[in-house]
Amino acid sequence: TTGVAYKYHPPNGEQNEFFYFENHQKINSLYDEATYNYNDKGIFVLHFKGPYSNTNTIRVETSDGRWVWENPYWVTNIWGPGELPAYKQLNPDINGYTHKDMVPHTRNGSDYIRVLIDENNDYEYLGDDFRLGKYSNESFNLSYNNIISPWSNPNTHT
C-alpha cells in the first residue's frame, strides 16, 4: 500500500540485470490487475535483463516455477485457421519454461500454452486464460516457493 518496490542486482548478474519485488494486493489499481485470478495477491517478482526494447527483456517469475513441457500432438484452432500445439507439463526444471512463456513446439517454433493436456491425456482449450493466471497454480501461495535464490525454481541465475 506504500508504493515501495525493491530492486535487486544479482552479484554475478549482467550489468543491466535486476529483479524487482513488488507487493500487489489488488486495491483498486489498474497496476494490480496482472492476472484474472482475484486471489493472486502478494509479491510479484519481475526479472529485467538489458536495456528496455520491444523484446522480452522483462519477465514475470511465476511462483509455480519453470517446467519441461512436451507437445505430443496438435488440435484444431477453435479461434482461427490452422492448428494449435497441445502442451503437457512434465517435470520441474530451472532452465524450463513458465506458463507465461512462449514454449517450443514440434514444428520448429514456439507458442503460448493455449491448449493444456492433463494427466489423463485429455486436452482443454484455455486460450490466453492460462497465461494470464486464471487456471494456473500461479496464485501467490506459500505452499509453492517462498524463497528466490540461485537454487530455487524459479531461480536468480542469469
mmCIF file of all heavy atoms in Angstrom, residues 106-141:
data_model
loop_
_atom_site.group_PDB
_atom_site.id
_atom_site.type_symbol
_atom_site.label_atom_id
_atom_site.label_comp_id
_atom_site.label_asym_id
_atom_site.label_seq_id
_atom_site.Cartn_x
_atom_site.Cartn_y
_atom_site.Cartn_z
ATOM 1 N N THR A 106 6.755 -28.824 -31.681
ATOM 2 C CA THR A 106 7.352 -29.787 -32.600
ATOM 3 C C THR A 106 7.438 -29.310 -34.044
ATOM 4 O O THR A 106 7.959 -30.026 -34.889
ATOM 5 C CB THR A 106 6.553 -31.114 -32.579
ATOM 6 O OG1 THR A 106 5.185 -30.830 -32.893
ATOM 7 C CG2 THR A 106 6.652 -31.772 -31.211
ATOM 8 N N ARG A 107 6.952 -28.121 -34.328
ATOM 9 C CA ARG A 107 7.003 -27.611 -35.704
ATOM 10 C C ARG A 107 7.997 -26.456 -35.831
ATOM 11 O O ARG A 107 7.744 -25.484 -36.541
ATOM 12 C CB ARG A 107 5.612 -27.207 -36.171
ATOM 13 C CG ARG A 107 4.683 -28.404 -36.271
ATOM 14 C CD ARG A 107 3.347 -28.058 -36.856
ATOM 15 N NE ARG A 107 2.494 -29.242 -36.892
ATOM 16 C CZ ARG A 107 1.192 -29.201 -37.079
ATOM 17 N NH1 ARG A 107 0.573 -28.048 -37.261
ATOM 18 N NH2 ARG A 107 0.488 -30.317 -37.087
ATOM 19 N N ASN A 108 9.111 -26.573 -35.126
ATOM 20 C CA ASN A 108 10.222 -25.615 -35.210
ATOM 21 C C ASN A 108 9.809 -24.177 -34.914
ATOM 22 O O ASN A 108 10.233 -23.253 -35.586
ATOM 23 C CB ASN A 108 10.909 -25.683 -36.576
ATOM 24 C CG ASN A 108 11.551 -27.022 -36.805
ATOM 25 O OD1 ASN A 108 12.093 -27.616 -35.881
ATOM 26 N ND2 ASN A 108 11.465 -27.530 -38.022
ATOM 27 N N GLY A 109 8.999 -23.991 -33.930
ATOM 28 C CA GLY A 109 8.607 -22.666 -33.490
ATOM 29 C C GLY A 109 8.259 -22.714 -32.021
ATOM 30 O O GLY A 109 8.639 -23.639 -31.302
ATOM 31 N N SER A 110 7.538 -21.708 -31.570
ATOM 32 C CA SER A 110 7.075 -21.685 -30.187
ATOM 33 C C SER A 110 5.737 -20.966 -30.126
ATOM 34 O O SER A 110 5.376 -20.232 -31.035
ATOM 35 C CB SER A 110 8.103 -20.998 -29.281
ATOM 36 O OG SER A 110 8.329 -19.670 -29.714
ATOM 37 N N ASP A 111 5.006 -21.208 -29.055
ATOM 38 C CA ASP A 111 3.683 -20.618 -28.904
ATOM 39 C C ASP A 111 3.367 -20.539 -27.415
ATOM 40 O O ASP A 111 4.007 -21.197 -26.598
ATOM 41 C CB ASP A 111 2.635 -21.484 -29.605
ATOM 42 C CG ASP A 111 1.385 -20.697 -29.994
ATOM 43 O OD1 ASP A 111 1.142 -19.615 -29.428
ATOM 44 O OD2 ASP A 111 0.642 -21.186 -30.860
ATOM 45 N N TYR A 112 2.370 -19.713 -27.089
ATOM 46 C CA TYR A 112 1.861 -19.710 -25.726
ATOM 47 C C TYR A 112 1.046 -20.977 -25.494
ATOM 48 O O TYR A 112 0.498 -21.560 -26.434
ATOM 49 C CB TYR A 112 0.986 -18.475 -25.469
ATOM 50 C CG TYR A 112 1.777 -17.199 -25.438
ATOM 51 C CD1 TYR A 112 1.605 -16.232 -26.415
ATOM 52 C CD2 TYR A 112 2.702 -16.953 -24.424
ATOM 53 C CE1 TYR A 112 2.333 -15.057 -26.383
ATOM 54 C CE2 TYR A 112 3.436 -15.789 -24.387
ATOM 55 C CZ TYR A 112 3.251 -14.834 -25.371
ATOM 56 O OH TYR A 112 3.974 -13.693 -25.338
ATOM 57 N N ILE A 113 0.942 -21.379 -24.241
ATOM 58 C CA ILE A 113 0.183 -22.581 -23.905
ATOM 59 C C ILE A 113 -1.293 -22.196 -23.875
ATOM 60 O O ILE A 113 -1.774 -21.614 -22.918
ATOM 61 C CB ILE A 113 0.639 -23.155 -22.556
ATOM 62 C CG1 ILE A 113 2.111 -23.521 -22.631
ATOM 63 C CG2 ILE A 113 -0.214 -24.372 -22.176
ATOM 64 C CD1 ILE A 113 2.731 -23.839 -21.304
ATOM 65 N N ARG A 114 -1.989 -22.502 -24.959
ATOM 66 C CA ARG A 114 -3.419 -22.209 -25.050
ATOM 67 C C ARG A 114 -4.260 -23.474 -25.033
ATOM 68 O O ARG A 114 -5.472 -23.416 -24.903
ATOM 69 C CB ARG A 114 -3.701 -21.385 -26.301
ATOM 70 C CG ARG A 114 -3.031 -20.007 -26.204
ATOM 71 C CD ARG A 114 -3.315 -19.156 -27.389
ATOM 72 N NE ARG A 114 -2.470 -19.586 -28.491
ATOM 73 C CZ ARG A 114 -2.656 -19.208 -29.751
ATOM 74 N NH1 ARG A 114 -3.647 -18.420 -30.071
ATOM 75 N NH2 ARG A 114 -1.856 -19.633 -30.692
ATOM 76 N N VAL A 115 -3.580 -24.620 -25.177
ATOM 77 C CA VAL A 115 -4.242 -25.923 -25.072
ATOM 78 C C VAL A 115 -3.392 -26.755 -24.109
ATOM 79 O O VAL A 115 -2.205 -26.966 -24.334
ATOM 80 C CB VAL A 115 -4.344 -26.630 -26.437
ATOM 81 C CG1 VAL A 115 -5.016 -27.980 -26.283
ATOM 82 C CG2 VAL A 115 -5.087 -25.756 -27.439
ATOM 83 N N LEU A 116 -4.025 -27.213 -23.034
ATOM 84 C CA LEU A 116 -3.305 -27.916 -21.985
ATOM 85 C C LEU A 116 -3.770 -29.371 -21.913
ATOM 86 O O LEU A 116 -4.976 -29.644 -21.925
ATOM 87 C CB LEU A 116 -3.550 -27.223 -20.643
ATOM 88 C CG LEU A 116 -2.785 -27.761 -19.448
ATOM 89 C CD1 LEU A 116 -1.286 -27.532 -19.624
ATOM 90 C CD2 LEU A 116 -3.267 -27.081 -18.175
ATOM 91 N N ILE A 117 -2.807 -30.282 -21.833
ATOM 92 C CA ILE A 117 -3.094 -31.719 -21.700
ATOM 93 C C ILE A 117 -2.974 -32.087 -20.225
ATOM 94 O O ILE A 117 -1.984 -31.767 -19.580
ATOM 95 C CB ILE A 117 -2.100 -32.549 -22.527
ATOM 96 C CG1 ILE A 117 -2.174 -32.152 -24.002
ATOM 97 C CG2 ILE A 117 -2.369 -34.036 -22.352
ATOM 98 C CD1 ILE A 117 -1.083 -32.747 -24.855
ATOM 99 N N ASP A 118 -3.992 -32.777 -19.709
ATOM 100 C CA ASP A 118 -3.960 -33.154 -18.293
ATOM 101 C C ASP A 118 -3.310 -34.519 -18.102
ATOM 102 O O ASP A 118 -2.827 -35.149 -19.051
ATOM 103 C CB ASP A 118 -5.359 -33.098 -17.670
ATOM 104 C CG ASP A 118 -6.326 -34.117 -18.257
ATOM 105 O OD1 ASP A 118 -5.884 -35.124 -18.868
ATOM 106 O OD2 ASP A 118 -7.545 -33.924 -18.096
ATOM 107 N N GLU A 119 -3.324 -35.004 -16.862
ATOM 108 C CA GLU A 119 -2.669 -36.274 -16.533
ATOM 109 C C GLU A 119 -3.334 -37.476 -17.195
ATOM 110 O O GLU A 119 -2.751 -38.550 -17.293
ATOM 111 C CB GLU A 119 -2.591 -36.471 -15.008
ATOM 112 C CG GLU A 119 -3.922 -36.495 -14.307
ATOM 113 C CD GLU A 119 -4.474 -35.106 -13.977
ATOM 114 O OE1 GLU A 119 -3.780 -34.105 -14.202
ATOM 115 O OE2 GLU A 119 -5.620 -35.040 -13.518
ATOM 116 N N ASN A 120 -4.577 -37.328 -17.677
ATOM 117 C CA ASN A 120 -5.278 -38.413 -18.381
ATOM 118 C C ASN A 120 -5.119 -38.315 -19.894
ATOM 119 O O ASN A 120 -5.803 -39.008 -20.634
ATOM 120 C CB ASN A 120 -6.763 -38.391 -18.027
ATOM 121 C CG ASN A 120 -7.001 -38.629 -16.557
ATOM 122 O OD1 ASN A 120 -6.354 -39.473 -15.950
ATOM 123 N ND2 ASN A 120 -7.912 -37.870 -15.974
ATOM 124 N N ASN A 121 -4.254 -37.419 -20.346
ATOM 125 C CA ASN A 121 -4.018 -37.133 -21.761
ATOM 126 C C ASN A 121 -5.233 -36.549 -22.472
ATOM 127 O O ASN A 121 -5.349 -36.650 -23.696
ATOM 128 C CB ASN A 121 -3.487 -38.363 -22.509
ATOM 129 C CG ASN A 121 -2.053 -38.649 -22.127
ATOM 130 O OD1 ASN A 121 -1.261 -37.727 -21.973
ATOM 131 N ND2 ASN A 121 -1.731 -39.908 -21.954
ATOM 132 N N ASP A 122 -6.152 -35.968 -21.706
ATOM 133 C CA ASP A 122 -7.250 -35.205 -22.289
ATOM 134 C C ASP A 122 -6.794 -33.753 -22.404
ATOM 135 O O ASP A 122 -5.998 -33.276 -21.599
ATOM 136 C CB ASP A 122 -8.483 -35.271 -21.388
ATOM 137 C CG ASP A 122 -9.040 -36.685 -21.270
ATOM 138 O OD1 ASP A 122 -9.018 -37.416 -22.282
ATOM 139 O OD2 ASP A 122 -9.485 -37.047 -20.167
ATOM 140 N N TYR A 123 -7.305 -33.059 -23.395
ATOM 141 C CA TYR A 123 -6.888 -31.670 -23.563
ATOM 142 C C TYR A 123 -8.050 -30.718 -23.323
ATOM 143 O O TYR A 123 -9.214 -31.081 -23.439
ATOM 144 C CB TYR A 123 -6.255 -31.433 -24.939
ATOM 145 C CG TYR A 123 -7.185 -31.605 -26.110
ATOM 146 C CD1 TYR A 123 -7.918 -30.533 -26.596
ATOM 147 C CD2 TYR A 123 -7.323 -32.836 -26.738
ATOM 148 C CE1 TYR A 123 -8.758 -30.688 -27.690
ATOM 149 C CE2 TYR A 123 -8.155 -33.003 -27.832
ATOM 150 C CZ TYR A 123 -8.872 -31.918 -28.296
ATOM 151 O OH TYR A 123 -9.710 -32.070 -29.366
ATOM 152 N N GLU A 124 -7.678 -29.499 -22.980
ATOM 153 C CA GLU A 124 -8.658 -28.441 -22.724
ATOM 154 C C GLU A 124 -8.167 -27.157 -23.370
ATOM 155 O O GLU A 124 -6.987 -26.802 -23.254
ATOM 156 C CB GLU A 124 -8.822 -28.242 -21.216
ATOM 157 C CG GLU A 124 -9.840 -27.189 -20.858
ATOM 158 C CD GLU A 124 -10.029 -27.041 -19.359
ATOM 159 O OE1 GLU A 124 -9.350 -27.738 -18.585
ATOM 160 O OE2 GLU A 124 -10.853 -26.201 -18.976
ATOM 161 N N TYR A 125 -9.071 -26.477 -24.057
ATOM 162 C CA TYR A 125 -8.757 -25.178 -24.635
ATOM 163 C C TYR A 125 -8.833 -24.130 -23.529
ATOM 164 O O TYR A 125 -9.870 -23.971 -22.882
ATOM 165 C CB TYR A 125 -9.768 -24.812 -25.720
ATOM 166 C CG TYR A 125 -9.665 -25.632 -26.981
ATOM 167 C CD1 TYR A 125 -10.472 -26.742 -27.170
ATOM 168 C CD2 TYR A 125 -8.776 -25.278 -27.988
ATOM 169 C CE1 TYR A 125 -10.388 -27.493 -28.336
ATOM 170 C CE2 TYR A 125 -8.685 -26.019 -29.152
ATOM 171 C CZ TYR A 125 -9.501 -27.120 -29.322
ATOM 172 O OH TYR A 125 -9.420 -27.856 -30.479
ATOM 173 N N LEU A 126 -7.737 -23.418 -23.302
ATOM 174 C CA LEU A 126 -7.709 -22.399 -22.263
ATOM 175 C C LEU A 126 -7.539 -20.996 -22.835
ATOM 176 O O LEU A 126 -7.695 -20.017 -22.119
ATOM 177 C CB LEU A 126 -6.568 -22.677 -21.274
ATOM 178 C CG LEU A 126 -6.639 -24.035 -20.582
ATOM 179 C CD1 LEU A 126 -5.424 -24.233 -19.710
ATOM 180 C CD2 LEU A 126 -7.907 -24.166 -19.762
ATOM 181 N N GLY A 127 -7.201 -20.883 -24.089
ATOM 182 C CA GLY A 127 -6.964 -19.570 -24.668
ATOM 183 C C GLY A 127 -5.833 -18.877 -23.937
ATOM 184 O O GLY A 127 -4.860 -19.486 -23.516
ATOM 185 N N ASP A 128 -5.951 -17.577 -23.740
ATOM 186 C CA ASP A 128 -4.936 -16.819 -23.017
ATOM 187 C C ASP A 128 -5.173 -16.848 -21.516
ATOM 188 O O ASP A 128 -4.388 -16.301 -20.755
ATOM 189 C CB ASP A 128 -4.905 -15.370 -23.498
ATOM 190 C CG ASP A 128 -4.272 -15.240 -24.871
ATOM 191 O OD1 ASP A 128 -3.412 -16.087 -25.203
ATOM 192 O OD2 ASP A 128 -4.618 -14.310 -25.601
ATOM 193 N N ASP A 129 -6.264 -17.489 -21.069
ATOM 194 C CA ASP A 129 -6.574 -17.506 -19.636
ATOM 195 C C ASP A 129 -5.485 -18.188 -18.815
ATOM 196 O O ASP A 129 -5.199 -17.788 -17.698
ATOM 197 C CB ASP A 129 -7.909 -18.195 -19.374
ATOM 198 C CG ASP A 129 -9.083 -17.368 -19.863
ATOM 199 O OD1 ASP A 129 -8.889 -16.168 -20.133
ATOM 200 O OD2 ASP A 129 -10.183 -17.934 -19.974
ATOM 201 N N PHE A 130 -4.854 -19.221 -19.346
ATOM 202 C CA PHE A 130 -3.809 -19.927 -18.599
ATOM 203 C C PHE A 130 -2.605 -19.012 -18.414
ATOM 204 O O PHE A 130 -2.082 -18.860 -17.322
ATOM 205 C CB PHE A 130 -3.415 -21.192 -19.347
ATOM 206 C CG PHE A 130 -2.452 -22.080 -18.588
ATOM 207 C CD1 PHE A 130 -2.813 -22.612 -17.364
ATOM 208 C CD2 PHE A 130 -1.215 -22.387 -19.106
ATOM 209 C CE1 PHE A 130 -1.946 -23.442 -16.664
ATOM 210 C CE2 PHE A 130 -0.344 -23.211 -18.414
ATOM 211 C CZ PHE A 130 -0.720 -23.740 -17.189
ATOM 212 N N ARG A 131 -2.196 -18.361 -19.500
ATOM 213 C CA ARG A 131 -1.042 -17.463 -19.440
ATOM 214 C C ARG A 131 -1.314 -16.307 -18.487
ATOM 215 O O ARG A 131 -0.413 -15.814 -17.816
ATOM 216 C CB ARG A 131 -0.737 -16.938 -20.842
ATOM 217 C CG ARG A 131 0.450 -16.016 -20.910
ATOM 218 C CD ARG A 131 0.844 -15.732 -22.342
ATOM 219 N NE ARG A 131 -0.214 -15.224 -23.151
ATOM 220 C CZ ARG A 131 -0.459 -13.929 -23.338
ATOM 221 N NH1 ARG A 131 0.278 -13.024 -22.764
ATOM 222 N NH2 ARG A 131 -1.452 -13.548 -24.112
ATOM 223 N N LEU A 132 -2.547 -15.869 -18.402
ATOM 224 C CA LEU A 132 -2.886 -14.726 -17.551
ATOM 225 C C LEU A 132 -3.266 -15.132 -16.131
ATOM 226 O O LEU A 132 -3.675 -14.302 -15.343
ATOM 227 C CB LEU A 132 -4.022 -13.923 -18.197
ATOM 228 C CG LEU A 132 -3.635 -13.290 -19.535
ATOM 229 C CD1 LEU A 132 -4.848 -12.642 -20.186
ATOM 230 C CD2 LEU A 132 -2.518 -12.287 -19.366
ATOM 231 N N GLY A 133 -3.148 -16.408 -15.807
ATOM 232 C CA GLY A 133 -3.287 -16.836 -14.425
ATOM 233 C C GLY A 133 -4.629 -17.393 -14.007
ATOM 234 O O GLY A 133 -4.774 -17.835 -12.890
ATOM 235 N N LYS A 134 -5.617 -17.410 -14.892
ATOM 236 C CA LYS A 134 -6.940 -17.840 -14.471
ATOM 237 C C LYS A 134 -6.989 -19.311 -14.069
ATOM 238 O O LYS A 134 -7.649 -19.683 -13.119
ATOM 239 C CB LYS A 134 -7.953 -17.577 -15.584
ATOM 240 C CG LYS A 134 -9.386 -17.804 -15.172
ATOM 241 C CD LYS A 134 -10.339 -17.321 -16.242
ATOM 242 C CE LYS A 134 -11.772 -17.496 -15.837
ATOM 243 N NZ LYS A 134 -12.681 -17.018 -16.873
ATOM 244 N N TYR A 135 -6.267 -20.184 -14.781
ATOM 245 C CA TYR A 135 -6.301 -21.613 -14.489
ATOM 246 C C TYR A 135 -4.982 -22.151 -13.943
ATOM 247 O O TYR A 135 -4.842 -23.330 -13.717
ATOM 248 C CB TYR A 135 -6.649 -22.396 -15.760
ATOM 249 C CG TYR A 135 -8.021 -22.123 -16.258
ATOM 250 C CD1 TYR A 135 -8.235 -21.327 -17.365
ATOM 251 C CD2 TYR A 135 -9.132 -22.641 -15.597
ATOM 252 C CE1 TYR A 135 -9.506 -21.052 -17.819
ATOM 253 C CE2 TYR A 135 -10.408 -22.379 -16.046
ATOM 254 C CZ TYR A 135 -10.589 -21.586 -17.159
ATOM 255 O OH TYR A 135 -11.846 -21.321 -17.604
ATOM 256 N N SER A 136 -4.015 -21.292 -13.782
ATOM 257 C CA SER A 136 -2.699 -21.775 -13.366
ATOM 258 C C SER A 136 -2.605 -21.876 -11.853
ATOM 259 O O SER A 136 -3.433 -21.361 -11.126
ATOM 260 C CB SER A 136 -1.621 -20.822 -13.874
ATOM 261 O OG SER A 136 -1.682 -19.617 -13.135
ATOM 262 N N ASN A 137 -1.556 -22.528 -11.383
ATOM 263 C CA ASN A 137 -1.262 -22.597 -9.956
ATOM 264 C C ASN A 137 -0.377 -21.446 -9.533
ATOM 265 O O ASN A 137 0.349 -21.534 -8.568
ATOM 266 C CB ASN A 137 -0.560 -23.915 -9.630
ATOM 267 C CG ASN A 137 -1.503 -25.071 -9.721
ATOM 268 O OD1 ASN A 137 -2.692 -24.920 -9.490
ATOM 269 N ND2 ASN A 137 -0.990 -26.229 -10.066
ATOM 270 N N GLU A 138 -0.430 -20.365 -10.277
ATOM 271 C CA GLU A 138 0.464 -19.253 -10.022
ATOM 272 C C GLU A 138 0.052 -18.435 -8.807
ATOM 273 O O GLU A 138 0.830 -17.636 -8.319
ATOM 274 C CB GLU A 138 0.498 -18.343 -11.242
ATOM 275 C CG GLU A 138 1.382 -17.165 -11.059
ATOM 276 C CD GLU A 138 1.141 -16.134 -12.104
ATOM 277 O OE1 GLU A 138 0.455 -16.382 -13.078
ATOM 278 O OE2 GLU A 138 1.667 -15.057 -11.916
ATOM 279 N N SER A 139 -1.126 -18.607 -8.308
ATOM 280 C CA SER A 139 -1.575 -17.785 -7.190
ATOM 281 C C SER A 139 -0.495 -17.707 -6.130
ATOM 282 O O SER A 139 0.260 -18.634 -5.935
ATOM 283 C CB SER A 139 -2.851 -18.365 -6.589
ATOM 284 O OG SER A 139 -3.863 -18.376 -7.551
ATOM 285 N N PHE A 140 -0.451 -16.631 -5.448
ATOM 286 C CA PHE A 140 0.636 -16.358 -4.510
ATOM 287 C C PHE A 140 0.409 -17.182 -3.258
ATOM 288 O O PHE A 140 -0.122 -16.737 -2.263
ATOM 289 C CB PHE A 140 0.703 -14.865 -4.240
ATOM 290 C CG PHE A 140 1.012 -14.122 -5.491
ATOM 291 C CD1 PHE A 140 0.012 -13.775 -6.382
ATOM 292 C CD2 PHE A 140 2.322 -13.822 -5.816
ATOM 293 C CE1 PHE A 140 0.309 -13.120 -7.570
ATOM 294 C CE2 PHE A 140 2.625 -13.181 -7.000
ATOM 295 C CZ PHE A 140 1.616 -12.825 -7.875
ATOM 296 N N ASN A 141 0.819 -18.409 -3.328
ATOM 297 C CA ASN A 141 0.520 -19.425 -2.348
ATOM 298 C C ASN A 141 1.837 -19.908 -1.747
ATOM 299 O O ASN A 141 2.716 -20.369 -2.465
ATOM 300 C CB ASN A 141 -0.207 -20.566 -3.069
ATOM 301 C CG ASN A 141 -0.595 -21.685 -2.171
ATOM 302 O OD1 ASN A 141 0.006 -21.910 -1.136
ATOM 303 N ND2 ASN A 141 -1.608 -22.428 -2.584
#
